[in-house]
């Protein structure tokens, strides 16, 4: 179980390269071992956008908000990247595998925002 959670947590892909290979709905499949023990899982899809231009990131922020991702904007700079840049991160929880998550990623891509896009799916057991 922990191995599966760790693998899911580490799966963050850039949208351009990974969308053809792996989609969020492909990762939202129940673990048969957990299911046999009556443990139900939920999946959280997180989408992150980064850009040096706030205006370029705004259309994608709207797409995330319209799809229920509650995007949060932050300003960032670091020693490795001292120029001010912007990050928008939103997440949404799903009770079961759904192509709605795939559609949200496609909508961000179709918005044509000049951003770096990454995403991750994390599985969590539902507390009883």
């Amino acid at each position: 179980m922990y191995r599966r959670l760790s693998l899911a947590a580490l799966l963050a892909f850039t949208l351009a390269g990974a969308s053809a290979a792996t989609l969020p709905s492909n990762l939202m499949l129940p673990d048969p071992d957990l299911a046999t023990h009556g443990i139900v899982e939920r999946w959280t899809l997180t989408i992150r956008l980064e850009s040096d231009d706030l205006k370029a990131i705004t259309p994608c922020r709207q797409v995330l908000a319209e799809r229920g991702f509650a995007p949060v904007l932050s300003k960032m700079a670091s020693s490795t990247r001292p120029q001010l840049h912007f990050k928008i991160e939103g997440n949404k929880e799903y009770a079961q595998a759904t192509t709605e998550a795939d559609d949200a990623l496609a909508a961000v891509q179709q918005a044509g925002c000049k951003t770096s896009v990454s995403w991750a799916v994390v599985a969590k057991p539902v507390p009883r």
Side-chain angles (χ1 to χ4, degrees), residues 45-110:
L45 171 63
T46 302
I47 299 177
R48 292 177 197 90
L49 310 167
E50 286 193 48
S51 177
D52 294 334
D53 182 5
L54 182 59
K55 290 181 183 177
I57 209 168
T58 301
C60 284
R61 182 181 188 184
Q62 291 172 336
V63 169
L64 290 176
E66 290 168 359
R67 295 186 175 263
F69 278 79
V72 175
L73 173 68
S74 59
K75 299 176 192 175
M76 301 172 52
S78 67
S79 59
T80 58
R81 191 172 172 189
Q83 180 183 359
L84 180 65
H85 60 283
F86 303 92
K87 177 176 158 184
I88 293 177
E89 183 171 322
N91 58 60
K92 187 171 181 181
E93 190 171 287
Y94 297 93
Q96 59 187 11
T98 176
T99 58
E100 181 184 317
D102 304 339
D103 296 341
L105 281 173
V108 168
Q109 186 177 29
Q110 290 172 356

Side-chain angles (χ1 to χ4, degrees), residues 11-26:
L11 290 174
F13 302 99
T14 57
L15 184 60
S19 64
T22 305
L23 294 171
S25 62
N26 293 339

Side-chain angles (χ1 to χ4, degrees), residues 29-47:
L29 302 174
D31 183 334
D33 293 335
L34 294 177
T36 59
H37 291 95
I39 299 173
V40 178
E41 293 174 283
R42 290 190 185 272
W43 292 268
T44 302
L45 171 63
T46 302
I47 299 177

